[in-house]
Amino acid sequence: MTRLTGRALRLTVFIGEHDTWHHKPLYSEIVHRAHAAGLAGASVFRGIEGFGASSLIHTSRLLSLSEDLPVAVVIVDTEEHVRAFLPQLDELVTEGLVTLDDCEVIRYAGRGETGRGEPDTGKPDEGTGENSL
């Protein structure tokens, strides 16, 4: 498992849910490439309304003509790893917005881990009398 704490970089890609790459959803291609690149994680969030450089409002309201809702792909990892991934985004994202933000990772743990790279045994931590979250 990737250990990630402290200073990090958050990469956010804003695209439309109907944007594609070789007949596959673009957001899915970004997530799969991030995974293949060994990045710490990626999540896709679907918006309910928004507009971008085209100035067209995309909304989920029933009577709207638009169904191409906004999507944000968020990736957090070390600055080195995120910046190494940017050339792939240059290839994939022809329309949209790509942003980078400094952030601080407080906790990064998978299921069944303590956040310190150790399995969660469910037993109290020694010396504290508290369970790991």
Side-chain angles (χ1 to χ4, degrees):
M1 176 185 133
T2 302
R3 294 177 194 261
L4 183 63
T5 57
R7 278 185 46 95
L9 206 56
R10 178 179 49 226
L11 166 67
T12 307
V13 182
F14 297 94
I15 54 178
E17 72 175 329
H18 290 153
D19 292 347
T20 60
W21 175 259
H22 295 252
H23 309 290
K24 179 179 178 181
L26 179 57
Y27 60 83
S28 181
E29 182 67 16
I30 294 169
V31 168
H32 283 87
R33 286 197 186 195
H35 185 261
L39 293 172
S43 296
V44 178
F45 300 95
R46 185 176 186 225
I48 58 171
E49 189 166 34
F51 73 93
S54 70
S55 293
L56 296 173
I57 293 182
H58 303 273
T59 182
S60 63
R61 285 183 267 161
L62 287 175
L63 300 177
S64 170
L65 297 176
S66 173
E67 294 178 356
D68 189 20
L69 295 174
V71 170
V73 182
V74 179
I75 298 169
V76 176
D77 206 320
T78 64
E79 181 172 359
E80 177 184 358
H81 290 150
V82 169
R83 290 199 182 275
F85 186 67
L86 291 178
Q88 292 197 55
L89 287 181
D90 286 340
E91 175 188 357
L92 295 171
V93 180
T94 57
E95 295 178 1
L97 174 67
V98 178
T99 64
L100 292 173
D101 300 292
D102 290 322
C103 64
E104 183 178 359
V105 175
I106 304 299
R107 180 179 175 85
Y108 176 68
R111 289 189 179 107
E113 294 180 7
T114 64
R116 295 180 290 275
E118 306 161 358
D120 185 358
T121 62
K123 296 179 183 176
D125 290 342
E126 289 186 26
T128 65
E130 298 178 7
N131 285 326
S132 298
L133 296 177

